[in-house]
Amino acid sequence: MCIDCGCSDGATATMTNVKTGEISDIRRNARGELHDAGHHPSHDHDHDHALGHGHHHHGHAHSHGHDHGSASDHSHPHASVVTLQQSLLEKNDALAARNRAWLAGREVLMLNLVSSPGSGKTSLLERTIRDLHAKVAISVIEGDQATVNDGARIDAAGAPAIQVNTGTGCHLEADMIERALGALKPRPGSIVFVENVGNLVCPSLFDLGEKAKVAILSVTEGEDKPLKYPHMFRASKLVLLNKIDLLPHLDFDVERVVAAAREVNPHVEIIKISTKTGDGLHDWYSWLEGQRSSVHC
C-alpha cells in the first residue's frame, strides 16, 4: 500500500491554475496531512484526535513499555503502521464525503478517470471537451507528479483546468480535490473530470468524492490487466477500452479482456472506443448524459 512506501511523507504538492498561472504550494507533513503553505484550515485541530496513537513511534513509544526484547514491543511498528493507515484513509473518506455533498448540492457530476500512463486519458478529455462544449460545461482537475503539460492541453481544448502536481505522491487525495474544486468553482449542472495520476494501484484506495471511477485501458496494454490489478477494476463503474483503431495491428483478444474485467467486477460496464477515429464515443457521451441525469434533483 502506498502509505507504507512513504510517498506521502514530507512530500510537497502544488496546485496550478492553468489559465492564470497562479501556483499554490501544498505542504504535506509527516502524518500525510496537507496544509497550504502558511495556512492552516479551520478543521486541522481534529487531526491529532483522529490519528489517536497511530503516530506514537514519533517519540511516544516509551509510554507503552520499556522491555525492548519483548514480543509486544516487536509488534508495535506493525500496529503503528496499520493504525496510521486506517486513520489516514478514514480522514480521506470523511473529506470525500464532504466533497460529494458539495457537488450534489450544485448538481455537479464529478468522475475520476484512472489508468496506466499512456492509456489516452488526456486525449479522450480533449476530444470530449471539443465534442460536448455546446451541450455542457466541463472543467478538469489534472493530476501528475510533475509538469503542467496536461493542464495546458486541457486549457487549449477549451476547458478550465487546475493542475495538481503530487511530487513523490502516486495518487490524488480528497483534500487536494477539495482545494481544486474551490479554485475551479464549477458551474451548477456541469461535469468535473479528475484525471488521476497514471497508476493502476494506489488511486483505487482513495475516494475523492466522485460519482464513479472510470478506468481507461488501451489495447496496447494486454488482456490480463484487470486480473493483475483487480482492486482498480473492481472499484470502477465503467471501463473504456481505448485505441481500438489499433486492433488490426495487434495480437489482442477483446473478448478475453472483457471476460477478465467481468471476472473481477461482474457489474462493470465496458465501452470500446477510439479517441482518434471517434468509434464508440457516442456510447461514451450517452453514458455521461445518463450519469448527469442521475445527479439532478
Side-chain angles (χ1 to χ4, degrees):
M1 171 170 186
C2 59
I3 295 173
D4 290 337
C5 76
C7 69
S8 297
D9 292 351
T12 298
T14 60
M15 186 175 75
T16 303
N17 186 315
V18 177
K19 181 66 71 178
T20 66
E22 180 182 358
I23 301 174
S24 302
D25 287 338
I26 306 174
R27 305 291 180 183
R28 186 184 292 280
N29 65 23
R31 293 198 299 265
E33 299 161 350
L34 287 180
H35 300 285
D36 290 329
H39 173 68
H40 300 281
S42 60
H43 60 276
D44 281 353
H45 65 275
D46 292 327
H47 293 167
D48 288 339
H49 300 292
L51 285 169
H53 293 293
H55 59 285
H56 67 256
H57 56 290
H58 296 296
H60 299 283
H62 64 274
S63 65
H64 300 284
H66 299 279
D67 183 4
H68 299 295
S70 70
S72 61
D73 284 336
H74 288 159
S75 67
H76 267 172
H78 305 290
S80 299
V81 169
V82 170
T83 304
L84 180 58
Q85 288 174 355
Q86 291 173 339
S87 298
L88 290 174
L89 289 175
E90 287 171 2
K91 175 178 178 288
N92 182 84
D93 289 347
L95 289 173
R98 189 162 72 185
N99 289 344
R100 189 170 283 112
W102 189 91
L103 292 160
R106 292 156 178 79
E107 298 185 348
V108 173
L109 171 66
M110 187 171 80
L111 298 172
N112 185 2
L113 305 189
V114 293
S115 78
S116 301
S119 66
K121 294 191 301 298
T122 310
S123 295
L124 174 64
L125 285 175
E126 289 175 308
R127 176 114 190 206
T128 300
I129 291 162
R130 291 181 175 125
D131 288 352
L132 298 185
H133 75 276
K135 298 179 180 179
V136 59
I138 293 174
S139 54
V140 178
I141 301 170
E142 278 288 342
D144 281 301
Q145 287 191 320
T147 83
V148 295
N149 294 350
D150 287 353
R153 288 172 60 182
I154 295 302
D155 181 69
I162 295 293
Q163 180 80 52
V164 178
N165 291 131
T166 59
T168 58
C170 55
H171 57 274
L172 295 174
E173 297 179 19
D175 40 10
M176 297 174 178
I177 299 304
E178 180 182 41
R179 287 165 168 78
L181 287 172
L184 272 179
K185 298 179 176 60
R187 298 181 194 173
S190 66
I191 299 176
V192 175
F193 288 108
V194 177
E195 183 177 349
N196 218 313
V197 179
N199 179 352
L200 282 176
V201 181
C202 301
S204 67
L205 296 167
F206 289 85
D207 182 10
L208 305 180
E210 70 269 21
K211 179 72 162 56
K213 285 183 174 67
V214 177
I216 294 91
L217 176 66
S218 75
V219 299
T220 59
E221 295 180 66
E223 303 100 327
D224 59 351
K225 281 296 183 291
L227 300 178
K228 286 185 173 182
Y229 303 97
H231 297 291
M232 181 62 79
F233 288 88
R234 193 172 294 127
S236 297
K237 186 171 185 177
L238 173 69
V239 172
L240 294 175
L241 186 59
N242 194 19
K243 305 186 183 181
I244 60 170
D245 55 290
L246 297 178
L247 285 173
H249 311 288
L250 300 171
D251 182 15
F252 185 90
D253 188 336
V254 171
E255 294 308 314
R256 184 180 171 193
V257 76
V258 169
R262 296 233 160 95
E263 181 177 336
V264 299
N265 185 353
H267 304 292
V268 73
E269 300 177 65
I270 301 170
I271 299 175
K272 293 172 279 189
I273 65 169
S274 168
T275 299
K276 182 176 180 179
T277 67
D279 289 347
L281 292 183
H282 175 76
D283 293 334
W284 160 235
Y285 299 153
S286 295
W287 186 89
L288 283 178
E289 185 55 36
Q291 296 302 303
R292 280 188 68 218
S293 298
S294 70
V295 300
H296 292 171
C297 298

